[in-house]
């Protein structure tokens, strides 16, 4: 059985002040088309999303900004 290889992104998120903020950012990222899972950690200041179809950086930034936060950087992870 063949497995589809996904893409992971690390998103550095500013303006979070607690774990509830991280959950709000995580929920917003999970709603982006193509995202399979999202994990945001307030203590680390970033989130990781896993996707089979990579969303654009603008889609990622827009979701985070609509949740009330800022994106400092987006990096592709291997």
């Amino acid at each position: 059985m063949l497995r589809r290889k996904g893409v992971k992104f690390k998103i550095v998120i500013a303006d979070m002040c607690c774990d509830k903020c991280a959950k709000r950012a995580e929920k917003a990222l999970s709603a982006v088309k193509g995202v399979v899972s999202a994990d945001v950690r307030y203590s680390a200041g970033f989130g990781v999303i896993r996707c089979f179809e990579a969303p654009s950086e603008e889609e990622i930034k827009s979701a985070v900004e609509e949740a009330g936060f800022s994106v400092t950087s987006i990096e592709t992870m291997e």
Side-chain angles (χ1 to χ4, degrees):
M1 179 175 175
L2 293 174
R3 290 187 148 225
R4 292 173 61 185
K5 183 172 177 161
V7 177
K8 290 193 323 186
F9 293 97
K10 176 182 176 182
I11 301 112
V12 178
I13 302 170
D15 306 321
M16 294 189 295
C17 63
C18 63
D19 287 330
K20 284 186 180 182
C21 289
K23 288 295 178 196
R24 194 167 74 222
E26 189 173 281
K27 183 176 180 181
L29 287 167
S30 293
V32 174
K33 183 180 177 190
V35 174
V36 175
S37 68
D39 182 29
V40 178
R41 303 290 174 163
Y42 161 68
S43 59
F46 68 86
V48 174
I49 60 173
R50 289 162 186 80
C51 319
F52 283 125
E53 295 179 28
S56 70
E57 286 192 14
E58 284 306 311
E59 290 174 300
I60 295 169
K61 285 181 183 179
S62 177
V64 172
E65 289 170 357
E66 286 178 18
F69 311 107
S70 303
V71 173
T72 304
S73 68
I74 299 173
E75 304 170 20
T76 303
M77 300 173 69
E78 300 211 13

